[in-house]
Amino acid sequence: MLRLAILVLVLLIWEDILGNRGCMGNKATAVARFSPGMKPKCHVKARCEIYPRSQIKRFPVPDDKVPWTTNFSEYKPVDYTADSILKRPVYADPDIRTEKDSPPLTFNGCDGKINRVSHMGKYEIVDGVPRNPQGRTGLKGRGQLGRWGPNHAADPVVTRWKMDESGKTLNGSDGRPVLQFVSVQRRDNHQWAIPGGMVDAGEVVTATVRREFGEEALNSMEMSPEEKKRLEKELDQLFSTGREIYRGYVDDPRNTDNAWMETVAFNFHDEDNSCFGKIKLCAGDDAMNVQWMDLSGSLDLYASHIDFLAEVAKNHNASW
Ligand code: RP5
């Protein structure tokens, strides 16, 4: 019995290591794993009428026609991939539908250092391209996304309790203490969001959350080497403990039938404001503003970020 328990424990730890590791090399296999608690809802923002940063109108998809299993014979999604993606920046795949000479991509697996495994399980390949596991979006191609299939991101939800000057925790209208999180205003659409970003090829998600927080909320890219060194030390403490709160599909307005966002979101919580209190927020990179924002169910945030915050509020029994 004890042996069996040890074996199960070892397997769980190993799966956790692999799940966070992504694709480090050709031989590695990344593990698909659903989020511990939350399941993604029917996507809504992925069906927004006008595709982001374009004039392109999506083919309208009513709620009941979202699942691929529902017959929708009239469905004629618009085909769109942004010119900036077709120009092949480092993070973009070739257009496999037209560039027939390009080497085949390994879907549902590790493609060199690129992780093409979905957190949602095995996705279907239809007419040579991946199919969005959450259903129809009204647009095919890759839109603004670089990768066919899952485009992996990571999101740091950095929280502290809202306090007055004497250090007393402040309550919301529901009588529960108010949490605050570090929020950035995105430069592309001016919406407030969690300071997350794309996982680089071969990068582990725990490194991505730390790097993205540094770049977007602390403007680390503009720092001198000495300042960066000091920041790294402070971040060591801040990011030493984190709780995974979500792993899976993101209802992102850039999603298409063949390319979609997925993320792993972590909560880094500073119970007594001793860590984050020392750090000065400063917007950088893709962020035009940064601030501590009160957590509340009425916030209007980018993509499905409000769902991650609902989970955080629930975990801390905070005002919502
Ligand atoms: C969202 O897009 C993710 O949750 C993450 O916050 C973000 C990553 O994309 P960029 O901010 O790098 O554009 O889907």
Side-chain angles (χ1 to χ4, degrees), residues 15-22 30-40 115 117-121 152-155 204-206 243-250 261-266 308 311:
E15 184 191 279
D16 201 53
I17 292 168
L18 287 177
N20 287 322
R21 190 176 69 179
V31 169
R33 186 149 53 84
F34 291 103
S35 174
M38 301 158 52
K39 288 265 171 291
N115 181 8
V117 179
S118 166
H119 296 305
M120 309 300 295
H152 288 288
D155 285 289
V204 293
V205 287
T206 44
R243 175 172 179 181
E244 184 179 317
I245 46 161
Y246 181 71
R247 179 181 287 255
Y249 186 83
V250 184
M261 291 298 305
E262 296 196 7
T263 198
V264 186
F266 296 90
F308 311 159
E311 186 71 9

Side-chain angles (χ1 to χ4, degrees), residues 9-227:
L9 192 68
V10 168
L11 283 174
L12 284 176
I13 293 170
W14 181 238
E15 184 191 279
D16 201 53
I17 292 168
L18 287 177
N20 287 322
R21 190 176 69 179
C23 297
M24 302 285 282
N26 286 327
K27 290 197 185 107
T29 49
V31 169
R33 186 149 53 84
F34 291 103
S35 174
M38 301 158 52
K39 288 265 171 291
K41 303 174 194 147
C42 175
H43 57 199
V44 174
K45 295 190 178 174
R47 288 182 283 147
C48 58
E49 189 188 3
I50 310 289
Y51 190 85
R53 283 185 263 170
S54 80
Q55 313 274 310
I56 308 286
K57 263 192 168 184
R58 293 179 188 263
F59 190 92
V61 181
D63 290 355
D64 62 325
K65 297 286 194 277
V66 170
W68 294 108
T69 45
T70 307
N71 183 34
F72 191 15
S73 49
E74 312 85 61
Y75 186 55
K76 298 242 167 348
V78 186
D79 194 344
Y80 172 64
T81 302
D83 284 345
S84 56
I85 297 299
L86 293 173
K87 281 187 191 138
R88 292 287 312 273
V90 276
Y91 60 85
D93 292 331
D95 194 352
I96 46 177
R97 295 174 306 174
T98 52
E99 295 171 38
K100 296 286 178 208
D101 298 340
S102 58
L105 307 182
T106 309
F107 292 122
N108 286 303
C110 283
D111 202 353
K113 286 187 177 174
I114 302 162
N115 181 8
R116 300 191 194 275
V117 179
S118 166
H119 296 305
M120 309 300 295
K122 194 169 176 194
Y123 48 87
E124 283 184 279
I125 308 298
V126 178
D127 298 329
V129 290
R131 180 180 258 189
N132 187 324
Q134 287 302 107
R136 299 181 177 98
T137 67
L139 193 136
K140 62 182 181 178
R142 279 171 295 161
Q144 296 278 354
L145 297 176
R147 305 266 176 233
W148 293 98
N151 286 251
H152 288 288
D155 285 289
V157 183
V158 170
T159 53
R160 69 175 187 189
W161 293 110
K162 184 176 186 175
M163 291 175 188
D164 65 12
E165 274 153 25
S166 69
K168 190 173 156 282
T169 310
L170 298 171
N171 288 344
S173 53
D174 55 7
R176 290 203 295 265
V178 176
L179 266 182
Q180 295 187 311
F181 78 106
V182 175
S183 181
V184 291
Q185 190 176 22
R186 293 175 64 97
R187 209 178 284 283
D188 57 357
N189 54 22
H190 298 188
Q191 277 197 286
W192 287 89
I194 296 165
M198 300 292 190
V199 179
D200 289 341
E203 190 177 41
V204 293
V205 287
T206 44
T208 311
V209 280
R210 190 182 154 128
R211 176 177 58 71
E212 286 290 337
F213 187 79
E215 290 174 4
E216 294 191 356
L218 308 173
N219 198 14
S220 62
M221 286 163 104
E222 302 290 319
M223 285 179 180
S224 68
E226 294 77 45
E227 286 173 320

